[in-house]
Amino acid sequence: MKTRISLMLSTVLVLTLQAQKKEYKGLEALQMLQKTVCNTLEEGKPVYGMWEGRMYSRIEGEKDKNIFNVVGINVRQCDCVEDDVKGQGFRSVGREIMMYLDPETNEILDTWENPWTGETVEVLHVANDPVSLRSYIYEKDDKGEDRATFSFRQYGDVAVTSYEYPLFYNNPLGGDYQNAVGGKYHAMEIFNTYYSTEELTNPKIRDLETSSISWSRIAQWLPWMNMGGKQGIMVVNSTGESVLDKAKIWPRIQKILEERYPLYMNPPAKDDKRENETSWTVYKKHIAAKKAAEEKTNKK
């Protein structure tokens, strides 16, 4: 019996290792990478990446709670360049929104009653402009050697990229001594994206018809929740797709864009060099604006 179980486990292990890992360098890698970021090799063609999912609280000693549902869109385009030494390159420029929804009704929440503090707070939805690549990615380095690399796992006709991004940096709301007393922002984002192997690898195919994504995030409490130093984290699990056809934007998101965020229907200009925004930097500006408005009112 033990031998039979061992053989079964060995078979399962072998079956789980059947993905073919494909690796590329140079121009071939750069073009595939650009397709995964912008769904196209065409400069200035907008792509609409959409997702929907659930957000949970996790506190030691408590049952996990589905505190919000979420729905969002990232609108971006690629700026393409060419360098005499580094060859072809690209950079994406974009902006994104994500709405926090009631987990039971799926309606947009503009206020939220914090179940731990009892306080009713204003919900500050994600509206980050811009969200862009900080620098260009080139096919070659400063010496003209192949630099760009790209790899994926292939399961038959499906190509899968998988990335984990551990985040650990100074919190914009913290002070000057975060290394000494803590307070750094600590999170992780996890992306698994699925493509047609033929569309991704064939250099004659310039556009991806579509790509499907799974996005997860493990992060600290959002600043507008006013959780103070309460122990705990949030976990987001979502799925979605990226499309090039504006008519394929999900109706729910199209309505949100039209009614609340018309600016976010289009990406920023290709030469946009502004610093990226996050929920933390946006919150800091939001609070500063509110304080300035209150002071102005009080002076009247």
Side-chain angles (χ1 to χ4, degrees), residues 289-300:
K290 285 185 67 174
K291 287 182 177 179
E294 291 172 359
E295 289 174 359
K296 186 176 181 180
T297 300
N298 293 335
K299 289 179 180 178
K300 290 183 178 179

Side-chain angles (χ1 to χ4, degrees), residues 92-108:
S92 71
V93 289
R95 51 172 63 105
E96 66 186 18
I97 63 169
M98 186 173 77
M99 312 300 290
Y100 299 103
L101 313 176
D102 185 293
E104 295 183 2
T105 67
N106 245 15
E107 293 300 315
I108 295 171

Side-chain angles (χ1 to χ4, degrees), residues 55 66-71 98-115 120-126 222 224-225 252 256 260-261:
M55 178 180 287
N66 178 197
I67 51 177
F68 305 114
N69 288 347
V70 296
V71 63
M98 186 173 77
M99 312 300 290
Y100 299 103
L101 313 176
D102 185 293
E104 295 183 2
T105 67
N106 245 15
E107 293 300 315
I108 295 171
L109 291 168
D110 288 315
T111 60
W112 176 66
E113 185 175 340
N114 187 319
T120 298
V121 297
E122 176 187 5
V123 175
L124 192 64
H125 300 285
V126 173
L222 295 162
W224 54 263
M225 295 170 72
R252 177 73 185 276
I256 292 170
R260 292 182 177 239
Y261 300 99

Side-chain angles (χ1 to χ4, degrees), residues 124-169:
L124 192 64
H125 300 285
V126 173
N128 295 342
D129 175 29
V131 180
S132 306
L133 286 180
R134 290 182 173 84
S135 58
Y136 289 91
I137 300 173
Y138 286 94
E139 60 171 300
K140 301 178 183 296
D141 60 22
D142 293 333
K143 297 180 180 178
E145 302 289 336
D146 283 343
R147 177 183 182 181
T149 60
F150 180 73
S151 65
F152 62 84
R153 301 183 192 128
Q154 183 176 343
Y155 301 90
D157 296 333
V158 179
V160 183
T161 59
S162 184
Y163 300 106
E164 301 84 32
Y165 296 102
L167 305 174
F168 190 71
Y169 55 79

